[in-house]
Amino acid sequence: MRRFNLAVLAAVTLSAGLTAVPAQAHSGRPLGIENCTAAGCHFDVQPGTYDVKVLLGGDAASSTAISGETRRSLLPETAAEAGRRVSRSFTVNVRTPEGEPTGPDGTPGLDLVLGGSAPALADIKVTPARHTRQIFLVGDSTVCDQPGDPYSGWGQQLPQYLRKGVSVANYADSGESTVTYLAEPRLWATVQPLIRPGDLVLVQLAHNDKTTDEATYRANLETLVAGVREKGGNPVLVTPIVRRWFNSDGTLNNGTALLVNGLGVDHPAVIRSVAAAEDVPLIDLTAKTKSLVESLGVEGSKAIYLYNEKRDNTHTSVHGATVYAGLVRDELVAQRLVPAGLVRVG
């Protein structure tokens, strides 16, 4: 376990066996640091969206990161000088199941984990969020909240780039295609009713459409777009991240890398075509990840994927997912899909 600055918790008595105070006992007052131990915090709240305000720092220099629920990165590592306090806020989606929609329910309530090289939590307040912009994610294993190391989807890392007022509801699920995502009741049939006017819905489905013909694939994307608009949401189509599959010349100019299936369906090309035809914003993550991976080369790109750990050229490491989430963040700002003031940079 990383070193934790316990001095900042001197005002309250904490122990590893601390039981969280039920939310209803607070009569609407914010939930606070009495719900924390040296390792993290548990808040007995119902599913919903919550604003979290933290005060970081202690007597010694500190550096704190916060993750939560199923390994979601909620706050990037934040330094505080000795004797100084740094205030940060973020908004978090609490749901059941807390990770992949077809996975286990997880732990009820909101769980936060303190990380970083020298974590120090001085105070925390959790309140129900109001007027929150929500970003829904519809995708596969390269996007989802992966339950265990060393895997991570880019959607799992996206929350750390967003400030209070924007939450990520990640309904991506491992192994899903456009066909299965529409057919499984725990997926699209669950997501669509939750969409509110003005919500963003990012759709990245392609990796598992290995036997989907072009007409069906196009129709499925159109169905998802129409379903988002029916609820007043704003669909955003996202082309899939590349597979790390190099040619001898150091490029990724092949069907495996660029997600062309066995029937010859060029998934990124179809997504671009549907986006243009339906007047939907497009995040061309295929082009962006291709450029990045080729620039890193055969050796440098191994750390983005799980080649070293699993000989896996499809799924990303925590580092790679964080880099790819940064590319999505940049596009959200560049296309003015999220106000720049609600996005963390750097």
Side-chain angles (χ1 to χ4, degrees):
M1 183 181 295
R2 294 185 176 92
R3 180 174 62 84
F4 186 87
N5 192 334
L6 290 174
V8 302
L9 299 179
V12 294
T13 301
L14 299 172
S15 68
L18 181 67
T19 300
V21 179
Q24 58 269 26
H26 288 257
S27 302
R29 292 185 290 112
L31 300 173
I33 202 165
E34 68 274 7
N35 293 276
C36 300
T37 69
C41 308
H42 172 78
F43 300 94
D44 186 13
V45 298
Q46 296 299 310
T49 307
Y50 295 87
D51 290 332
V52 180
K53 182 177 182 180
V54 295
L55 194 63
L56 307 175
D59 294 337
S62 64
S63 187
T64 309
I66 298 177
S67 60
E69 299 296 270
T70 303
R71 301 176 62 241
R72 298 181 221 159
S73 294
L74 299 171
L75 187 71
E77 191 153 354
T78 303
E81 297 177 0
R84 298 289 298 272
R85 300 291 188 270
V86 175
S87 178
R88 293 288 186 271
S89 297
F90 56 88
T91 300
V92 59
N93 171 259
V94 177
R95 61 184 183 269
T96 303
E98 68 177 31
E100 295 182 82
T102 63
D105 285 352
T107 305
L110 170 61
D111 288 286
L112 302 177
V113 177
L114 302 174
S117 57
L121 176 67
D123 199 10
I124 186 169
K125 299 295 181 187
V126 175
T127 56
R130 294 180 174 84
H131 311 299
T132 299
R133 294 170 181 261
Q134 192 131 275
I135 300 175
F136 287 92
L137 302 181
V138 170
D140 53 34
S141 59
T142 65
V143 185
C144 75
D145 288 348
Q146 289 280 0
D149 280 328
Y151 295 89
S152 180
W154 62 256
Q156 201 164 17
Q157 302 301 323
L158 185 60
Q160 67 184 296
Y161 290 120
L162 302 171
R163 301 181 187 274
K164 175 186 173 183
V166 184
S167 71
V168 174
N170 191 351
Y171 282 85
D173 197 70
S174 293
E176 306 300 342
S177 66
T178 58
V179 175
T180 60
Y181 202 95
L182 287 167
E184 166 59 59
R186 290 171 292 180
L187 298 174
W188 185 238
T190 296
V191 174
Q192 192 195 19
L194 300 175
I195 300 170
R196 304 169 305 184
D199 285 342
L200 287 180
V201 183
L202 275 58
V203 178
Q204 186 215 279
L205 287 166
H207 278 85
N208 300 300
D209 279 280
K210 299 174 183 178
T211 60
T212 309
D213 63 80
E214 183 169 337
T216 301
Y217 185 65
R218 179 181 295 271
N220 289 343
L221 293 175
E222 291 169 347
T223 296
L224 290 165
V225 168
V228 174
R229 286 176 166 164
E230 179 184 326
K231 293 296 183 177
N234 299 315
V236 179
L237 292 180
V238 183
T239 59
I241 67 170
V242 294
R243 292 191 180 96
R244 183 188 164 278
W245 198 265
F246 282 93
N247 295 331
S248 59
D249 63 359
T251 71
L252 301 178
N253 296 323
N254 61 78
T256 299
L258 299 181
L259 281 296
V260 178
N261 74 10
L263 301 177
V265 180
D266 185 332
H267 293 105
V270 176
I271 295 169
R272 295 176 189 121
S273 174
V274 172
E278 298 291 328
D279 194 24
V280 173
L282 173 75
I283 295 178
D284 198 341
L285 205 50
T286 305
K288 290 186 173 296
T289 56
K290 178 179 186 290
S291 177
L292 175 62
V293 171
E294 287 179 342
S295 72
L296 292 172
V298 173
E299 290 301 318
S301 62
K302 288 179 178 179
I304 295 289
Y305 291 85
L306 293 172
Y307 180 84
N308 293 325
E309 300 86 350
K310 302 285 185 178
R311 293 297 188 268
D312 187 333
N313 293 306
T314 297
H315 297 97
T316 48
S317 63
V318 171
H319 166 66
T322 302
V323 171
Y324 285 178
L327 297 177
V328 174
R329 179 270 318 269
D330 293 345
E331 282 299 296
L332 292 175
V333 173
Q335 298 190 41
R336 298 183 180 179
L337 298 170
V338 175
L342 296 179
V343 177
R344 302 183 197 279
V345 297

